[in-house]
Amino acid sequence: VVTLFLACVTGKGDTASVGRPAAVYRDFMLGKIPMLVAPDTNYIYVHIKDVQKAILAASTLPNEKVASQGYLIGNSAGMITTRQYFEIIGRIVGRPCPSMTMNV
């Protein structure tokens, strides 16, 4: 058994279920996110295509290479805060990052 620890998965095919990145993108573009909660919290994101590649690799590599192993699927060097996440999305969609924040 090999374990894949997924970062926050995003990309085509993501659902608009509450809390999923696609739902957050939609709500932000519709102006439904008035404030950032925990703006300095760090997250690691990974694109769905990278997850697909990792699953394929883990399922096709010889068992002796992956058995009992765990792998983080994401780029920890690309970790960003909630604030940075909304600043990036804001630049893309032309909407300012919310300025109100609430730390928890």
Side-chain angles (χ1 to χ4, degrees), residues 1-46:
V1 173
V2 60
T3 304
L4 303 180
F5 300 97
L6 304 181
C8 187
V9 181
T10 187
K12 187 176 180 179
D14 190 9
T15 69
S17 300
V18 174
R20 296 290 311 147
V24 174
Y25 303 148
R26 179 202 60 218
D27 290 349
F28 179 67
M29 289 186 290
L30 294 174
K32 294 183 176 181
I33 300 182
M35 76 167 46
L36 300 180
V37 177
D40 299 317
T41 301
N42 289 305
Y43 289 95
I44 299 171
Y45 293 87
V46 62

Side-chain angles (χ1 to χ4, degrees), residues 10 14 16 18-20 25 29-31 40 43 52-53 56 59 64 71 73 76 84-87 89 91 95 100 103:
T10 187
D14 190 9
V18 174
R20 296 290 311 147
Y25 303 148
M29 289 186 290
L30 294 174
D40 299 317
Y43 289 95
Q52 292 167 335
K53 290 175 189 175
L56 181 62
S59 64
E64 59 273 3
Y71 299 95
I73 309 305
S76 60
Q84 291 169 319
Y85 172 84
F86 281 97
E87 287 170 347
I89 296 171
R91 281 194 300 272
R95 179 176 285 281
M100 291 192 312
N103 291 312

